[in-house]
Amino acid sequence: MTTSTSPTSSSNGLAERLAAVREGVADAARAAGRRPEELTTIVVTKFHPASLVRELAGLGVHDVGENRHQEAQEKAAELADLDLRWHFVGQLQSKKARQARRYASVIHSVDRVSLVDALASEEGDIDAFVQLNLTDDPARGGVADRDLETLVEHVLATQGLRLLGVMAVAPLGEEPARAFDRVRTASDRVRALAPDATAISAGMSQDYREAIAAGATHLRIGTAITGNRPELR
């Protein structure tokens, strides 16, 4: 895959923003005593056109994230000629799970038994993170802390899912470092049941440095790379 900079990506600042985030991730990893190669940066392109994803691919991006099923499905189909690994990072309806399996390589938001059952398959494994809700608001998405082990055990007993680890979003109003410490503790609990599930999906544009310090392996970064989202009409 070429990593040359296209005129479009240069003119819209995309290449510069991507380079800055890559440098920031590498610096944060080294500061935490970790190797930058341990980290996977997923560029979240919600509301941005497929053309921007194509530019990102030209800049060497392989991992792309989407929050909404219909948008993800359409982009994946349009960009099927590219070597991309699609990550679904938003809340997923159980009735859309079978469709999501067709384009996504990783589901980051497994948060309930019904979704696990809907993702079950005898046709090969899909990688999955169990999402932990760090708030008291069930509408935020994610399994409640008290139910984490129960959900993990259900994933492990279900054919067609390969558990990578735990995912979470730092709540507004809480220090990211403190929130991600809680995620690291949850990761320890997950690994007690599934020793190979060592991955942590945490950290976004504003807090990826704190996530890296707490052990995150997968970063979900949007606007710091893509720029502001287009106006919705």
Side-chain angles (χ1 to χ4, degrees), residues 95-122:
K95 65 182 180 180
K96 302 295 185 182
R98 306 297 294 182
Q99 296 174 45
R101 280 191 67 105
R102 297 189 187 119
Y103 62 81
S105 296
V106 190
I107 306 292
H108 288 243
S109 49
V110 175
D111 62 356
R112 60 196 186 279
V113 167
S114 61
L115 179 56
V116 174
D117 292 342
L119 287 167
S121 174
E122 298 179 358

Side-chain angles (χ1 to χ4, degrees), residues 210-224:
E210 292 89 344
I212 291 170
T217 59
H218 292 66
L219 314 171
R220 310 180 308 274
I221 301 180
T223 54

Side-chain angles (χ1 to χ4, degrees), residues 46-47 66-73 88 90 103 232:
K46 178 182 179 181
F47 296 140
E66 288 292 335
N67 294 69
R68 303 192 307 166
H69 165 66
Q70 183 174 344
E71 183 177 354
Q73 183 173 243
F88 191 84
Y103 62 81
L232 295 180

